């Protein structure tokens, strides 16, 4: 990427952030789903191209889903990557604790416990840097319409998958996500207090927000009449600044502010073919990553990836995965 790299360095000029590296990633045959999610910048030079061949080989070895040269889904890869990282980090943490325990002779207690802990005590879950950055918590609430008892269950998440509609926005999608759903007929809820199936109201709301909020737009929908998945090119506006006042408890001072930091874009008219590119904000500059090519773009260009107002359009470049960085957290 000599020419393109020089062009990028020239465009940034004296504004090139100190210590930053902007590298394109070589495509090894439909590996854009990987490149669009992963950007490596640990080189001495400021710009260039990296061939993450060993990384791609490891991914294919770990998960057979990515072994073929067929078009893969960037969201599925992101989920695999985060969960795989969590598993590796948890294993390393357990191994370190075990090694530390072997090196240090624990004090034996008369009741047979070690270091004051009774045998069989369950250890708290390991919180890795993946959890610290990406993990949030849902509050899944179900209210029985007969006895008014509320059953609540907390669920952890690393990203939000949102249903989309034509000419909508992220705010409206989040509002629909947290809307109340009535369970009746064949979907009645078994109430433990009533000891029977009852009509109920169900609601999913965000209880704890993450430092980085990852939003996945469900652009691929299965159409029963067609017997296959179809891409939804709906126009969904995603703002540069996002307030999550409608998903958490509406108490004074509970507003959470986020700033858009990256977008994975799907290019193409269908789920089984196409291309992925990504937009990344770095030091107030927006950069466009398309495999080996990296270039600086104006912030206004981001709006061209909102989607199409018509079902059939020449524009097939649509925002697919959004990364919002919290303005309330200090990293």
């Amino acid at each position: 990427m000599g020419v393109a790299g020089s062009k990028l360095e020239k465009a940034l000029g004296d504004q090139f952030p100190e210590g930053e590296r902007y590298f394109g990633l070589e495509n090894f045959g439909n590996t854009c789903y990987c490149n669009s999610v992963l950007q490596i910048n640990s080189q001495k030079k400021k710009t260039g191209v990296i061939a993450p061949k060993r990384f791609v080989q490891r991914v294919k070895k770990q998960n057979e889903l990515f072994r073929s040269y067929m078009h893969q889904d960037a969201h599925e890869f992101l989920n695999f990557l985060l969960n795989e990282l969590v598993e590796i980090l948890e294993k390393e943490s357990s191994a370190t604790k075990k090694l530390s325990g072997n090196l240090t002779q624990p004090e034996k207690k008369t009741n047979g416990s070690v270091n004051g802990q009774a045998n069989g005590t369950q250890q708290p879950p390991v919180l890795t840097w993946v959890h610290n950055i990406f993990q949030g918590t849902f509050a899944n609430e179900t209210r029985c319409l007969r006895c008014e008892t509320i059953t609540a269950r907390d669920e952890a998440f690393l990203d939000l998958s949102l249903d989309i509609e034509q000419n909508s926005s992220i705010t409206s999608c989040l509002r629909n996500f947290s809307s109340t759903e009535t369970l009746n007929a064949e979907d009645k809820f078994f109430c433990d207090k009533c000891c029977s199936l009852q009509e109920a109201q169900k609601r999913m709301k965000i209880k704890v927000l993450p430092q980085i909020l990852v939003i996945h737009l469900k652009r691929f929908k299965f159409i029963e009449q067609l017997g296959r998945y179809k891409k939804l090119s709906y126009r969904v506006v995603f703002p540069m600044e996002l307030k999550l006042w409608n998903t958490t408890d509406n108490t004074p001072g509970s507003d959470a502010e986020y700033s858009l930091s990256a977008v994975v874009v799907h290019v193409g008219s269908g789920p089984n073919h196409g291309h992925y590119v990504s937009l990344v904000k770095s030091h107030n500059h927006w950069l466009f990553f398309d495999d080996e090519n990296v270039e600086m773009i104006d912030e206004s260009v981001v709006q061209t990836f909102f989607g199409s107002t018509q079902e059939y359009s020449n524009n097939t470049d649509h925002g697919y995965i959004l990364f919002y960085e919290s303005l309330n957290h200090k990293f």
Side-chain angles (χ1 to χ4, degrees), residues 84-102 123-132:
E84 189 72 11
L85 284 171
V86 166
E87 187 175 336
I88 292 172
L89 292 170
E90 287 177 342
K91 287 181 179 178
E92 288 182 352
S93 177
S94 298
T96 301
K97 288 181 179 179
K98 187 176 181 180
L99 179 62
S100 176
N102 290 337
Q123 296 295 322
V126 177
L127 288 180
T128 68
W129 59 262
V130 176
H131 296 111
N132 293 334

Side-chain angles (χ1 to χ4, degrees), residues 144-193:
C144 175
L145 294 181
R146 182 187 178 188
C147 67
E148 300 294 326
T149 299
I150 296 177
T151 303
R153 183 178 74 254
D154 288 350
E155 299 178 24
F157 69 89
L158 296 178
D159 72 295
L160 292 179
S161 288
L162 302 181
D163 291 312
I164 61 175
E165 297 177 350
Q166 180 61 284
N167 294 326
S168 60
S169 65
I170 291 299
T171 302
S172 64
C173 291
L174 286 167
R175 186 178 293 113
N176 291 335
F177 176 83
S178 298
S179 62
T180 300
E181 175 188 2
T182 300
L183 304 177
N184 52 26
E186 296 180 355
D187 297 325
K188 284 184 178 180
F189 169 73
F190 186 88
C191 177
D192 291 333
K193 187 172 183 179

